[in-house]
Amino acid sequence: MSNPENKVNVAKKLAEFSLSLNYDQLPEKTIHEAKRALLDTLGVTFAAKGADAVRIMWKVLDGFNVEGNATIIGSGKKTLPQYAAMANGCMTRYWDYNDGYGFPISKGVVAASHPSEIIPIALAAGEAEKISGKELLVDIVLGYELSGRILRSIEKKSLETRGWNMDTRGNYVCPLVCGRIMNLSVEQMENALGIAGSRDMILGILDTAGEVNTMAKNIRHAYTGHNSILFAMLAKEGFTGPVRALEGEKGFNETVLQGDMNFDILLEGLGHFIIDDAEYKPLVASRTAGGHLFSTLTNAIENDIDPTQVERVDIYASTRVSEHTGNPSKKYPYNKESADHSIYFLTAVALVDRTVGLSQYTTEKYNDPLIKELIGRVNVHAAPDVFDMHHKAGGRSVVTMKDGTVYDTTVLEPVGDNTTNPMTDKQMEDKFFDCACRVMSMEQAQKIRDAVWNIDSFEDIGEFMKMLVF
């Protein structure tokens, strides 16, 4: 639904909404979900310390020799908030282990995102502005809300099917969250959104079926956060941008979406906060891989499968999963960014190691002769009639042994599917500790866990950020 009326300013309405949220109006469930999102995001961020992409990022930022008032998580180095947002965002995204939010646009087409990528940006800008824990929770809820509304407002064809990456939505989310944190006026927030929204479209090549994934995948959203903090600073000083970047002539809706954005959905929401619908990953893999991976893991564990005796593996999943992670370009991955999006590698690892966690992504695994042999025995099938809509997260694994024995398992509602089998707080904590204790003591991890559940008691999140050094 196009919006031809020049008098309607979408950015103004979004800015007014962003500034109107307050902690006291948030339901208890929503506050708790924001804390769950923070706990999960910090865990996967901690686990990325030492990763190749993160090491390079830190080295480059260290070379700038710039001091500031925002913390790079892990090192404790203080730098400019935009640099901290980019460094921490790179860590959050590295393992592809953070949360997800998505919904089917049509059969076989899913609009998907990782809304938690707003959290490292909010932490960096928030620490610099000395916001409270309550304000941080509101900022997290706001980021999820705007992110989800943008996804849902694009009705006919997702950004991905148009050739763009869905993290492009960050240009219309991050400036508003950062603007709120930095106490911008409505007019200043409009300009911040206009500056960001008229720049920096993200090409789909950074995460598409037929191409190898690279380190650049880890900063799609993080770099948008970096820019948005800078643009909010400029707008606060009077710098202007096209406030009709979404609905105006040659703006986002007209040029990129060909008039497909439903502004009613964008401005009105769902009647509940979108963060309540977020999903979290129990396995280190592409979000929609849970069904077929749990099927293969069940096969391997319950039937005590000897991977050296496997003749053939047939994986059945949704159209999106089979296309997005079943493309031959990712069949024999050589880096983390492609391995976690390879049905072939993930299936082989599940059969050999009987788990898919942080320890499975190593050069040794990518080159393991048994893993490579099993990869060659994996066949991927789209099963749209079963998995595309109601069971989009489901999957089926059929393992045929050399002696002719067949093990056939289907999982329709894997752990992590928020509508049917969401992760419990206990499961979230176990995941957090597994991530955190790779780089810190259990004692420190427990203190951070307790601080997250009580983050609304912090008057200045700078005190909380001091705990995130290891």
Side-chain angles (χ1 to χ4, degrees):
M1 182 180 73
S2 62
N3 184 7
E5 298 182 20
N6 289 335
K7 64 181 181 181
V8 178
N9 187 331
V10 176
K12 180 178 181 180
K13 291 181 179 297
L14 291 175
E16 290 172 341
F17 167 72
S18 300
L19 291 174
S20 71
L21 278 184
N22 64 75
Y23 178 85
D24 292 334
Q25 79 182 79
L26 298 180
E28 184 176 342
K29 171 181 172 53
T30 301
I31 292 172
H32 187 69
E33 285 300 325
K35 293 178 180 180
R36 279 163 53 93
L38 178 59
L39 184 74
D40 188 72
T41 301
L42 288 176
V44 301
T45 300
F46 296 159
K49 183 183 180 184
D52 47 5
V54 176
R55 174 182 53 79
I56 294 169
M57 177 68 71
W58 283 15
K59 181 178 180 180
V60 170
L61 293 181
D62 281 345
F64 293 168
N65 196 27
V66 175
E67 294 184 358
N69 50 4
T71 302
I72 294 181
I73 292 173
S75 74
K77 178 181 175 64
K78 292 280 192 174
T79 187
L80 299 178
Q82 57 266 42
Y83 292 159
M86 186 163 61
N88 297 339
C90 180
M91 293 176 73
T92 296
R93 193 70 183 88
Y94 177 77
W95 283 109
D96 206 342
Y97 201 13
N98 53 326
D99 70 346
Y101 174 79
F103 67 99
I105 292 178
S106 59
K107 195 168 187 177
V109 179
V110 177
S113 66
H114 297 277
S116 61
E117 292 188 84
I118 194 62
I119 292 177
I121 299 165
L123 286 171
E127 181 182 11
E129 296 294 325
K130 301 183 183 300
I131 66 170
S132 68
K134 288 183 178 180
E135 173 60 26
L136 174 64
L137 293 174
V138 175
D139 297 327
I140 293 172
V141 172
L142 174 62
Y144 274 68
E145 187 68 20
L146 295 172
S147 178
R149 288 190 186 190
I150 290 173
L151 250 69
R152 301 189 74 95
S153 70
I154 304 171
E155 295 189 300
K156 297 175 184 176
K157 291 176 60 179
S158 69
L159 274 176
E160 290 178 341
T161 59
R162 299 172 192 269
W164 302 104
N165 186 271
M166 195 58 232
D167 280 347
T168 296
R169 75 192 187 281
N171 288 321
Y172 307 100
V173 176
C174 299
L176 295 171
V177 175
C178 293
R180 176 190 167 95
I181 290 172
M182 297 166 64
N183 294 312
L184 268 62
S185 67
V186 168
E187 182 179 358
Q188 290 167 339
M189 288 176 70
E190 290 178 67
N191 282 294
L193 185 146
I195 300 168
S198 58
R199 303 178 48 85
D200 302 328
M201 291 291 297
I202 301 174
L203 288 175
I205 195 172
L206 285 181
D207 187 6
T208 191
E211 299 287 343
V212 172
N213 291 343
T214 65
M215 292 181 190
K217 173 173 175 270
N218 302 313
I219 58 169
R220 295 180 324 213
H221 203 280
Y223 187 67
T224 300
H226 165 282
N227 286 352
S228 293
I229 291 174
L230 175 61
F231 296 155
M233 291 176 178
L234 290 172
K236 193 169 187 176
E237 297 301 323
F239 205 92
T240 62
V243 298
R244 288 172 43 79
L246 278 164
E247 76 275 25
E249 180 181 349
K250 292 184 170 56
F252 182 69
N253 183 43
E254 179 181 306
T255 303
V256 178
L257 301 179
Q258 290 77 52
D260 187 28
M261 177 167 271
N262 187 323
F263 288 97
D264 289 339
I265 292 175
L266 178 64
L267 297 175
E268 295 175 10
L270 296 176
H272 68 275
F273 288 105
I274 282 173
I275 197 171
D276 295 347
D277 300 329
E279 298 180 335
Y280 302 93
K281 293 184 180 182
L283 302 175
V284 187
S286 176
R287 186 179 69 89
T288 49
H292 71 76
L293 277 180
F294 275 112
S295 297
T296 299
L297 288 168
T298 299
N299 266 342
I301 295 169
E302 292 188 354
N303 299 301
D304 197 20
I305 289 176
D306 180 352
T308 66
Q309 298 303 306
V310 171
E311 177 66 26
R312 177 186 176 96
V313 184
D314 290 280
I315 298 298
Y316 299 84
S318 70
T319 301
R320 173 179 167 78
V321 173
S322 60
E323 292 178 351
H324 192 58
T325 59
N327 190 280
S329 69
K330 298 183 178 69
K331 189 162 188 175
Y332 295 96
Y334 56 84
N335 62 19
K336 166 64 177 63
E337 287 81 5
S338 285
D340 59 31
H341 275 57
S342 170
I343 283 182
Y344 309 97
F345 175 79
L346 294 169
T347 299
V349 162
L351 287 169
V352 173
D353 292 352
R354 300 184 182 183
T355 188
V356 180
L358 297 166
S359 300
Q360 273 59 57
Y361 296 93
T362 64
T363 300
E364 290 72 24
K365 286 291 180 190
Y366 307 147
N367 295 315
D368 186 304
L370 178 57
I371 296 291
K372 285 191 170 183
E373 180 183 349
L374 283 169
I375 284 174
R377 299 178 183 275
V378 175
N379 303 278
V380 180
H381 311 275
D385 292 341
V386 180
F387 300 119
D388 268 17
M389 297 299 282
H390 300 297
H391 298 295
K392 62 184 184 297
R396 178 186 176 198
S397 172
V398 182
V399 181
T400 303
M401 308 300 290
K402 292 178 180 179
D403 65 3
T405 304
V406 177
Y407 301 110
D408 188 342
T409 301
T410 297
V411 172
L412 296 178
E413 300 171 351
V415 177
D417 185 333
N418 195 48
T419 57
T420 58
N421 196 5
M423 289 182 71
T424 66
D425 286 356
K426 175 63 165 56
Q427 289 172 321
M428 296 279 283
E429 288 189 354
D430 289 344
K431 174 184 173 180
F432 171 78
F433 289 135
D434 179 56
C435 290
C437 290
R438 293 172 182 269
V439 294
M440 66 179 69
S441 68
M442 174 59 82
E443 181 182 10
Q444 183 178 3
Q446 289 173 333
K447 288 180 179 178
I448 294 172
R449 183 271 315 270
D450 294 343
V452 169
W453 291 133
N454 294 283
I455 191 68
D456 33 14
S457 67
F458 282 77
E459 294 298 324
D460 181 349
I461 65 165
E463 294 302 309
F464 175 68
M465 296 301 294
K466 291 177 182 177
M467 303 175 67
L468 311 186
V469 178
F470 43 85

